[in-house]
Amino acid sequence: MADDYDPNGIVDKWLPVWDRLRVFEPRDEGGVDDGGRERRYVVDMFPYPSGDLHMGHAEAFGIGDAVARYTMMRGYDVLHPVGWDSFGLPAENAALKRNMDPREWTYDNIEVQREGFRRLGMSFDWRTRLHTSDPGYYRWTQWLFLRLFERGLAYRKAAPVNWCPNDQTVLANEQVIAGKCERCGTEVTKKNLTQWFFRITDYAERLLDDMALLEGQWPDRVLTMQRNWIGRSTGAYVDFRIEGHDRPIRVFTTRPDTLFGATFFVVAADSPLAAELVTDEQRAALSAYVEQVRKTTDIERLAEGRPKTGVSLGRSAINPVNGEQIPVYAADYVLADYGTGAIMAVPAHDQRDLDFARAFGLTVRKVVETGDDDPADTGIATSGDGTLVNSGRYDGMRKVEAIAAIAEDLRRDGHGEAAITYRLRDWLVSRQRYWGPPIPIIHCSACGEVPVPDEDLPVRLPESGYELRPEGGRSPLESATDWVTTKCPSCGGDATRDTDTMDTFVDSSWYFLRYPSAQDAERIFDPELIARWLPVDEYIGGVEHAILHLLYSRFCVKFLQDIGLLSFPEPFLRVTNQGQVIMAGSAMSKSKGNLVNLQEELAKYGPDAVRLTMLFAGPPEEDVDWADVSPTGTMKWLTRVWRLCRDVGVAGRGTDPATGDVEIRTGVHKLIADATEQCDHKRFNVAIARLMELTTLLRKAVDADALGSASGAAAVREGAEALARMLSIFGPFTAEEVWELLGNEPSVVFAGWPSIDPALLVEDTVTCVVQVAGKLRDKFEVSVDATEDQLREQALASEAVQRALDGRPVRTVIVRPPRLVNVVPG
RNA sequence: GCGCGCCUGGCGAAACCUGGUAUACGCGCAAGAUUUAGGUUCUUGUGUCUUCGGACGUGGGGGUUCGAAUCCCCCGGCGCGCACCA
């Protein structure tokens, strides 16, 4: 045994012991049978194999591991799995750059990270290990696709979609952040392409409603972000006849009460509607405009104060309530894929419409009197409550009455109906890249889109014969001609495979279902193990997935529930977002030159001190600025713990804690109770502070020769063992080492969380605080059952109180026995 | 623009849920002990001012209360999310 604390030596010492004892495998299957425990499923958002582990991994997984280990220590049977999100663009780009096979790059990195996680002391059950890029996994991703396809929830359509010119692929709406590609930051443009979508919009209402189940369990801001993303609006559809056109065009409005104020009509320039409605005279003008719009990136489109543009389509629309003819325009401020892609424009009561009206010299007609100045004069649209004017028989109604009345009249007359629309769009899942699960569809000239039969899954990625580099929206797989050419499963004729692959977010939207039966070759998951472990009790990961991953996973689980494979509506009962590790105020990056290398920190301080430093720096959800913290402090503490336990050694071994010194025990049990309470709320920073206090308390006792008496030794032992057990959730290697120093058999994990003797928490005396006019003047120790009268008397007798009163009479005395007296002067 | 969150010593932070001793724990700093020295380790001190009685102090202002870091309102600063969604 080393003669002082050796932060890295203990890593090599204890890893093989944990492996041998199978410490992190759930007890009631495979390991020690200890049936009857409650189960908990604790999951960390799985890593992307982008290289070696970095500071962010240590932070995120350190928090997840503390949660998992705390849950284990509290006596639950815990499944804490690990896997890799190993398909995706970055791997492919990195491989391209190095002229490597993406497999090689990916699986090499996974090995490096696997070893890194082990050496960080993660309590994973390695049997769960999965990689989304394994055929044994993506087979089931494809299987899931086919189930969606069967039910019409996976479909292909031509649409203007987000296109990243740098990554040469389409992107889901959720992957466009402020107009830029989520991965590379390039400005995203629009392209008309035929793409695969999942009909997540069918689930919009349930995704919104079921958030009630998550309230208080998920971070509020995540719920808010999802709510806003789904974006429910209530209003009405209104059908407008178009002059010289045989079918009416429907619009959505949240303000049917302003129908009489509609003075023009706008369709999205890039929607098929515009092409359908345009007159021959205006066709050239429209094409030129659409061309101009398409070239504009989202960033430019959204620029502040950008003037409204558009082009007349040369027709009129007819307002169903008053027969008025209003001109029809195409403009880019109307979105093709929201609502119906067309709007009635009410410039008086919508700022965007007013801006357009002023740019094109169109009529502004106020129909709701709000008491504000006329929008036609001010250029400021009014949207508040008021009374209807210029609206025929609806004049005089309040806004809300009018909304209901007009919606009802539209329905009765067959001109529309009340409606709800969502901002959420269908999920674009196809990608023109190589490193993802091939879409399991075969295109046959006779049969159309034919699903690959289940028994032919997986559709494996070809391992050669393709050109990896994507180009102009063509998938790399198109160049793998042998792979593409196939027979139609339906008619047996010549056919071709779909050459797109699925987005990596499809892989990750169901992986937590696969862990308990990661090796199952027969089915997507084992229903018995699902029943045993799912849904996820604790899900730990970054807030960057607040919408993307968490929304998609919720959708997939609801779908699997609908087809009878799952019995719960939500995948994650509780979500915790950890903060980031930053350096000197900003995110670490190579270009800023402020990278902190995790491996160097580990070499200097060992994994326990690094983990503790992050956990102790603040609450889990706060960022940690590495410039503000120092592992030397936590390292010093771990050394003190080690020396304390070395000095205690086997003293007091085998004694009944109840025989221990009461004064020491009282202090110990208070600290255990408080640390437990803090851990229950994931306030690990405060819990660690309590463990530090416990260390100091025990050190002082040992220095005062507590070990010289039987009762002192018993109490110190109880405290030191409690310290080791609690330390194990933050600094697992050190905890194991000191547990051994105390003369115990490994593993400390099996010892569980220390219990608290409630009798020791009951205090006989407390400090009573005496205030004069709310300001602290005196305090004294009193019995917990001191009466109001006794306390009042003792307070008034205090010299300090009399001095503060300075001769003033006492108006009243507030007594809150036994802790407080407030003397209020007259 | 809309929505949300945060603001406490030189620094990271406690106490806010449940109003009642503000600054737990750690870093840093200072002094002392140990050491040949540096480092390490240990001890003590560390909100500001002070006439040593106290006074002031949780971004600013106001309110509720016997009593406010804590609850309410206004303002400022910082951060985050959304952003032409009809």
Side-chain angles (χ1 to χ4, degrees), chain A residues 298-604:
Chain A
D298 275 8
I299 295 279
E300 290 161 337
R301 276 182 65 142
L302 300 182
E304 196 117 351
R306 183 166 164 270
K308 290 278 180 286
T309 59
V311 59
S312 167
L313 293 184
R315 286 193 203 278
S316 301
I318 295 144
N319 190 329
V321 286
N322 58 8
E324 191 178 356
Q325 298 214 356
I326 57 178
V328 178
Y329 288 85
D332 68 353
Y333 84 93
V334 173
L335 307 173
D337 52 1
Y338 183 74
T340 62
I343 63 157
M344 63 176 211
V346 185
H349 306 295
D350 182 287
Q351 191 61 47
R352 296 154 300 181
D353 295 344
L354 183 54
D355 293 343
F356 190 89
R358 286 162 77 92
F360 285 77
L362 299 163
T363 314
V364 178
R365 186 193 307 137
K366 181 159 79 173
V367 290
V368 180
E369 183 50 75
T370 58
D372 298 305
D373 293 337
D374 194 326
D377 305 328
T378 59
I380 299 164
T382 61
S383 58
D385 196 7
T387 310
L388 265 68
V389 294
N390 300 322
S391 297
R393 61 203 166 82
Y394 302 102
D395 279 357
M397 280 190 188
R398 304 292 302 180
K399 179 173 157 180
V400 275
E401 293 174 76
I403 288 175
I406 294 179
E408 172 53 26
D409 292 350
L410 286 168
R411 192 195 56 78
R412 186 195 57 215
D413 301 339
H415 294 310
E417 59 190 317
I420 290 166
T421 60
Y422 295 91
R423 208 188 80 117
L424 183 70
R425 309 298 152 78
D426 277 344
W427 175 13
L428 199 177
V429 296
S430 46
R431 294 292 179 274
Q432 289 70 56
R433 298 298 300 241
Y434 170 75
W435 195 230
I439 287 179
I441 292 289
I442 289 168
H443 298 281
C444 169
S445 52
C447 312
E449 291 164 355
V450 183
V452 172
D454 284 357
E455 58 272 23
D456 292 348
L457 296 181
V459 177
R460 284 173 184 266
L461 280 171
E463 299 201 9
S464 61
Y466 56 87
E467 168 54 54
L468 194 55
R469 209 165 293 275
E471 214 185 295
R474 289 165 62 89
S475 170
L477 290 177
E478 283 183 34
S479 66
T481 40
D482 287 354
W483 182 87
V484 171
T485 311
T486 188
K487 296 290 177 196
C488 171
S490 177
C491 71
D494 288 343
T496 56
R497 291 192 185 280
D498 198 291
T499 54
D500 283 352
T501 55
M502 280 184 258
D503 180 25
T504 175
F505 279 104
V506 182
D507 306 323
S508 59
S509 62
W510 71 277
Y511 75 106
F512 45 89
L513 302 170
R514 179 75 180 166
Y515 276 138
S517 46
Q519 310 308 324
D520 199 315
E522 304 301 316
R523 51 205 160 168
I524 184 166
F525 45 67
D526 179 341
E528 248 176 68
L529 292 175
I530 289 284
R532 181 181 293 220
W533 294 109
L534 272 287
V536 175
D537 294 289
E538 296 278 355
Y539 197 40
I540 295 108
V543 72
E544 66 272 19
H545 293 113
I547 294 171
L548 291 151
H549 164 59
L550 291 176
L551 190 68
Y552 296 150
S553 300
R554 297 182 61 217
F555 161 68
C556 282
V557 163
K558 287 179 193 308
F559 168 70
L560 289 167
Q561 184 189 22
D562 286 353
I563 64 172
L565 292 179
L566 295 176
S567 59
F568 48 88
E570 287 289 333
F572 313 118
L573 298 182
R574 194 189 289 267
V575 170
T576 302
N577 294 132
Q578 86 281 354
Q580 293 188 311
V581 185
I582 60 173
M583 184 60 189
S586 50
M588 293 185 194
S589 76
K590 252 181 223 161
S591 56
K592 285 202 192 85
N594 64 348
L595 279 179
V596 178
N597 184 291
L598 174 64
Q599 301 312 321
E600 286 170 20
E601 300 297 305
L602 289 174
K604 265 191 273 184

Side-chain angles (χ1 to χ4, degrees), chain A residues 692-738:
Chain A
M692 289 173 171
E693 288 179 70
L694 179 56
T695 310
T696 304
L697 182 155
L698 295 171
R699 182 78 251 173
K700 285 192 169 143
V702 169
D703 289 348
D705 198 29
L707 297 177
S709 71
S711 66
V716 168
R717 159 150 301 269
E718 185 188 20
E721 289 193 353
L723 177 59
R725 298 179 193 196
M726 294 191 289
L727 175 61
S728 76
I729 73 172
F730 310 118
F733 295 106
T734 309
E736 206 68 81
E737 183 71 10
V738 302

Side-chain angles (χ1 to χ4, degrees), chain A residues 14 25 40 95 168 177 181 185 187 318 421 441 451 576 593 612 672 674 760 767 784 797 807:
Chain A
W14 290 107
E25 294 178 13
R40 289 288 185 272
Q168 297 274 306
I177 310 294
C181 171
E187 288 186 13
I318 295 144
T421 60
I441 292 289
T576 302
L612 270 158
I672 298 172
D674 198 13
L760 288 166
T767 306
V784 281

Side-chain angles (χ1 to χ4, degrees), chain A residues 631-648:
Chain A
T632 54
T634 40
M635 173 85 176
K636 227 181 333 191
W637 173 56
L638 288 172
T639 307
R640 286 203 297 140
V641 172
W642 189 93
R643 289 180 187 158
L644 170 74
C645 293
R646 176 200 57 194
D647 294 349
V648 173

